[in-house]
Amino acid sequence: MSAPTDIAPRASYPAQLLALSGRALAQLVRTPSHSRRAEAARKLARHSLWLSAAGAALVIALMVVFDLTEIQLMPARGTPGLWPIRILTDFGKDEYVLSVLGGVLVVLALVAAGLHGRSRALLLGLGTRLQFMFLSVAVSVFVAEILKYLIGRGRPFVGGKANPFNFIPFEGSGAYASLPSGHAVTAFALAFAVSALWPRLRVFMFTYAIVILLTRLVLLAHHPSDVVAGALVGMVGAMAVRYWFAARRLGFAIRADGTIVPVAGAVSGRLKRVAHGASAP
């Protein structure tokens, strides 16, 4: 949503809105143009492979060693005193997170269509970053839904007893959609996406993600291995979306070694220049 700033100012508002929306979508599917995308792709493949291998090993170890013990230690499902946890856990619900991000994107498009020049450019730059966050969560959740259906792991105590090896692949119901945890996918994808754009928020965002992960355990919605798998899917999914944006020069730059770094937004860039000017002798 950063490129379309040259639409004719005299065009009607609906035409401006339509043109902005069309160009915002077109830039996401255009041919990759970054000269260092091959280096970034290799680094993404290497990091994803190692992260997936380590994560898979941890998930299997938790299934065998810890899942049964953990769910037996949690308070009974439906305990009245857990109502604050039930409220807190909804901050990691994919429908809510995607609705908020999508709603803000729509508002930005509606406002930007009525602006011109620098004001429009500022909003469109923010829009590109919101697109990245939205797609990081959406793509990760989509992959997770496929995995849930294929794996068909029963949630804790489904079937009447604590059995971490209760699997019915392709069952398709919510009772057998435990692995991976959708809340963990959403929270960790969002945490990675925000941290990729604004590294100073990394501690805050991953603290949020861990809190969401813990609520799923306390509420007996998932086994420990489910939330670890969800965190893995969310981060790898967001990493893939970050590469997609960087390869198209959207919000990210690629260094010579293939490292992807955020491009300073127009707002932050202006603030830095003002601060520098104020402190200069």
Side-chain angles (χ1 to χ4, degrees):
M1 199 181 277
S2 59
T5 59
D6 57 344
I7 299 169
R10 295 183 181 179
S12 66
Y13 177 82
Q16 296 244 9
L17 179 59
L18 183 62
L20 278 174
S21 302
R23 293 194 184 184
L25 293 175
Q27 71 178 1
L28 290 175
V29 297
R30 69 191 183 199
T31 303
S33 60
H34 205 295
S35 60
R36 296 169 180 161
R37 62 184 183 276
E39 291 85 348
R42 285 193 291 270
K43 178 162 278 193
L44 170 64
R46 185 167 61 252
H47 287 178
S48 298
L49 179 61
W50 281 109
L51 187 61
S52 299
L58 179 58
V59 167
I60 293 172
L62 288 172
M63 281 187 186
V64 174
V65 176
F66 189 62
D67 277 2
L68 179 60
T69 301
E70 188 277 336
I71 62 175
Q72 290 177 328
L73 292 174
M74 292 299 102
R77 186 179 283 118
T79 300
L82 296 179
W83 65 266
I85 306 298
R86 297 190 190 96
I87 294 174
L88 186 60
T89 199
D90 280 344
F91 285 91
K93 197 174 183 66
D94 55 79
E95 295 97 322
Y96 297 165
V97 172
L98 290 173
S99 294
V100 170
L101 292 174
V104 175
L105 270 172
V106 170
V107 171
L108 276 179
L110 292 172
V111 174
L115 300 176
H116 305 286
R118 183 180 295 273
S119 297
R120 172 180 281 182
L122 290 173
L123 280 185
L124 294 179
L126 178 59
T128 296
R129 288 156 178 77
L130 283 170
Q131 283 178 321
F132 166 65
M133 290 188 284
F134 180 91
L135 288 173
S136 291
V137 176
V139 169
S140 300
V141 168
F142 178 73
V143 173
E145 289 301 316
I146 295 174
L147 292 175
K148 284 174 179 284
Y149 177 73
L150 294 177
I151 296 170
R153 188 186 195 188
R155 295 182 186 273
F157 297 104
V158 165
K161 61 180 181 179
N163 179 15
F165 298 101
N166 181 16
F167 292 90
I168 304 181
F170 314 109
E171 202 275 343
S173 71
Y176 286 87
S178 193
L179 179 67
S181 163
H183 284 67
V185 170
T186 299
F188 275 85
L190 181 63
F192 183 93
V194 173
S195 300
L197 291 168
W198 299 287
R200 290 185 179 180
L201 296 177
R202 184 179 293 115
V203 173
F204 172 79
M205 289 306 303
F206 278 100
T207 298
Y208 146 80
I210 291 171
V211 168
I212 296 299
L213 180 152
L214 293 175
T215 65
R216 306 310 290 163
L217 299 180
V218 173
L219 294 174
L220 283 177
H222 290 283
H223 304 86
S225 54
D226 298 334
V227 295
V228 171
L232 173 64
V233 171
M235 287 193 292
V236 173
M239 287 167 60
V241 174
R242 181 181 63 170
Y243 167 78
W244 183 275
F245 273 64
R248 288 157 180 78
R249 302 177 185 271
L250 298 173
F252 295 95
I254 303 175
R255 292 175 176 167
D257 65 349
T259 301
I260 298 174
V261 294
V263 174
V267 174
S268 60
R270 285 181 62 193
L271 291 175
K272 288 179 180 178
R273 287 194 295 272
V274 170
H276 178 72
S279 60

